[in-house]
């Protein structure tokens, strides 16, 4: 997935904020934690370029092991259910959830080693044929890119809706001039 991770993280966090509200987490902190979690696995691109010198597919690093995100999600959910002060646990949970969703989204057209570190078989729902150069042009011209555009459009829609709601609430609460 090229451009969809960040907006997908925003959508999931925005849709789940109502369930997190009882934890007294601020919407801003919750959504920020969610968006960071959605892109966190791809921070391994720094390692890929600067340390590994593009020797291995970055999906083979532990940052793209689904089990890592599943363990984080389980641990943060346990923390969320048991903690008396839940706002930090809510942020950790949405961070981990979006990290795990990143694995699913990367599986659409990119190989993910779902059973790593035990299995060595990558999985992808669809294969993008290597027809063009540079490599990203193949993804850009593949039908699956329409999913990414749809995710971006959905995120913009939710963002505008939330912004409009905030403006309306602020205007309603503003003191009226006598
Ligand atoms: Zn990724």
């Amino acid at each position: 997935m090229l451009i969809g991770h960040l907006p997908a993280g925003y959508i999931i966090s925005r849709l789940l904020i109502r369930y997190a509200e009882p934890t007294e987490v601020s919407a801003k902190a919750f959504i920020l934690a969610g968006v960071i979690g959605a892109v966190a696995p791809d921070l391994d691109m720094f390692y890929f370029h600067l340390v590994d010198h593009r020797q291995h597919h970055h999906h083979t690093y532990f940052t793209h092991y689904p089990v890592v995100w599943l363990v984080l999600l389980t641990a943060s959910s346990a923390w969320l259910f048991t903690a008396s002060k839940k706002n930090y646990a809510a942020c950790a949970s949405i961070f981990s959830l979006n990290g795990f969703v990143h694995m699913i989204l990367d599986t659409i057209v990119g190989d993910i080693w779902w059973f790593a570190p035990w299995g060595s078989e990558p999985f992808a729902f669809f294969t993008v044929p290597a027809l063009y150069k540079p490599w990203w042009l193949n993804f850009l011209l593949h039908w699956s890119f329409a999913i990414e555009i749809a995710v971006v459009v959905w995120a913009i829609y939710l963002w505008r809706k939330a912004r409009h709601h905030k403006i309306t609430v602020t205007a309603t609460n503003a003191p009226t001039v006598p």
Side-chain angles (χ1 to χ4, degrees), residues 36 39-48 58 63-64:
I36 293 172
V39 295
D42 282 344
L43 293 178
D44 61 14
M45 289 302 280
F46 289 108
Y47 182 86
F48 175 68
H58 78 112
T63 36
H64 274 83

Side-chain angles (χ1 to χ4, degrees), residues 89-135:
C91 289
S93 299
I94 192 67
F95 174 89
S96 312
L97 175 68
N98 281 340
F100 186 69
V101 170
H102 183 119
M103 301 298 111
I104 297 168
L105 294 177
D106 268 356
T107 309
I108 297 174
V109 288
D111 288 334
I112 287 289
W113 279 256
W114 272 88
F115 298 104
W118 304 283
S120 54
E121 194 69 33
F123 295 91
F125 293 130
F126 306 99
T127 307
V128 176
L131 304 173
Y132 315 103
K133 275 188 176 172
W135 64 269

Side-chain angles (χ1 to χ4, degrees), residues 157-175:
Y157 165 75
L158 287 179
W159 177 70
R160 285 178 65 101
K161 200 172 134 191
R163 207 162 150 254
H164 178 75
H165 177 74
K166 201 173 164 190
I167 291 167
T168 315
V169 169
T170 314
T172 316
N173 293 341

Side-chain angles (χ1 to χ4, degrees), residues 35-155:
V35 167
I36 293 172
V39 295
D42 282 344
L43 293 178
D44 61 14
M45 289 302 280
F46 289 108
Y47 182 86
F48 175 68
H49 287 288
L50 302 175
V51 181
D52 198 24
H53 301 294
R54 304 161 63 97
Q55 292 296 303
H56 306 92
H57 193 318
H58 78 112
H59 288 179
T60 61
Y61 304 150
F62 81 92
T63 36
H64 274 83
Y65 287 2
V67 69
V68 168
W69 292 98
L70 209 54
V71 166
L72 285 176
L73 183 58
T74 310
S76 55
S77 305
W79 182 21
L80 184 64
F81 283 111
T82 53
S84 49
K85 195 168 162 24
K86 296 181 188 289
N87 54 344
Y88 290 120
C91 289
S93 299
I94 192 67
F95 174 89
S96 312
L97 175 68
N98 281 340
F100 186 69
V101 170
H102 183 119
M103 301 298 111
I104 297 168
L105 294 177
D106 268 356
T107 309
I108 297 174
V109 288
D111 288 334
I112 287 289
W113 279 256
W114 272 88
F115 298 104
W118 304 283
S120 54
E121 194 69 33
F123 295 91
F125 293 130
F126 306 99
T127 307
V128 176
L131 304 173
Y132 315 103
K133 275 188 176 172
W135 64 269
W136 48 263
L137 208 54
N138 296 296
F139 288 87
L140 209 70
L141 299 174
H142 190 254
W143 62 263
S144 62
F145 196 67
I147 299 174
E148 302 211 37
I149 293 171
V151 167
V152 171
V153 170
W154 188 7

